[in-house]
Amino acid sequence: MIRLESFPESLPQSQAPLWRVTLDRPDKANALTEDMLATLVSIAKQAQAHPNLRALVITGAGEKVFCAGADLDAARAGLATSPLWEALSGAIAALPCLTIAALNGTLAGGAMGMALACDLRLSVDRASFFYPVAKLGFLPQPSDPKRLTALIGPARTKLLLLSGAKFNAKEALSFGLIDKIVPQEALWQEAQHMAEAAISGKAEVLRAVKAMIPDGTA
């Protein structure tokens, strides 16, 4: 359900400069179970241990949904309030390499956290974005309102979290929630293009530059 690939494929995973992590449950809108969340946290921690890793791309399988958040049955059993969500976004945000969310479709609910924690967000034009915590009666992940506010400002953060607004891709781009809209068939190619400079340069320089850039959550 979580697929990890490294590029170029000729290199061992520990030496590869680029990793692609795919949420691979398209028949269930790539909704996350507890095991999937734990696997994602583990992958992010593995990435911390590989000094040659220059870029990590997170995407989803299928052409409609990146991730619908928590699996409904798992959410009712307590996953909606699990600390794993915040552990995942924190682990991604802490990565010293370039991180890219390649959003192949709609981004909803708790899945927003992993995308917000990435350095860059690409999206297909058919995607929509919503985070219905007020309607469902849950608090957002603690870091999400800070990251949202840093990207789109306090008023639009309230629009998303308190009024339950749904943004389309053009709105998300104009607000600053995503950085670029690309055709579905070009999503992976564009993610690779964005990672080219990071992959080509020195890992220690990449990490030093990223450390100089404030993340807006302080």
Side-chain angles (χ1 to χ4, degrees):
M1 293 185 189
I2 301 295
R3 188 158 29 97
L4 173 60
E5 301 161 281
S6 57
F7 302 89
E9 296 174 346
S10 58
L11 290 177
Q13 190 177 88
S14 61
Q15 297 177 23
L18 174 62
W19 285 8
R20 178 172 65 185
V21 180
T22 304
L23 314 182
D24 194 4
R25 200 187 179 204
D27 57 323
K28 296 292 185 180
N30 293 325
L32 297 172
T33 64
E34 185 172 6
D35 285 346
M36 291 170 73
L37 268 175
T39 298
L40 287 167
V41 173
S42 177
I43 288 171
K45 290 181 177 179
Q46 288 175 47
Q48 285 270 12
H50 292 308
N52 195 52
L53 186 65
R54 319 295 179 80
L56 182 143
V57 178
I58 304 174
T59 193
E63 297 186 352
K64 293 183 179 180
V65 181
F66 167 73
C67 184
D71 174 87
L72 288 178
D73 291 337
R76 294 188 190 102
L79 186 62
T81 56
S82 170
L84 282 171
W85 297 97
E86 188 68 12
L88 175 58
S89 58
I92 293 171
L95 285 173
C97 64
L98 174 65
T99 53
I100 301 171
L103 305 171
N104 59 296
T106 291
L107 170 62
M112 190 79 71
M114 74 176 92
L116 292 172
C118 288
D119 299 315
L120 300 171
R121 283 156 293 281
L122 302 175
S123 173
V124 298
D125 58 6
R126 72 181 69 185
S128 58
F129 304 81
F130 56 99
Y131 200 159
V133 284
K135 179 179 179 180
L136 297 177
F138 298 114
L139 290 174
Q141 298 167 50
S143 61
D144 286 358
K146 293 180 181 179
R147 292 196 175 102
L148 277 168
T149 301
L151 288 171
I152 65 176
R156 288 183 178 128
T157 297
K158 292 173 184 176
L159 190 65
L160 191 68
L161 296 179
L162 299 181
S163 77
K166 181 181 289 188
F167 301 153
N168 61 37
K170 288 183 179 179
E171 289 171 329
L173 179 64
S174 69
F175 296 164
L177 183 59
I178 60 175
D179 301 297
K180 193 169 185 178
I181 296 174
V182 297
Q184 187 92 41
E185 65 274 11
L187 185 64
W188 170 234
Q189 181 181 0
E190 182 60 30
Q192 289 178 292
H193 177 70
M194 280 191 159
E196 277 180 6
I199 291 170
S200 300
K202 295 181 178 179
E204 61 270 24
V205 174
L206 167 68
R207 291 164 188 247
V209 171
K210 182 168 177 177
M212 296 169 71
I213 303 171
D215 64 8
T217 61

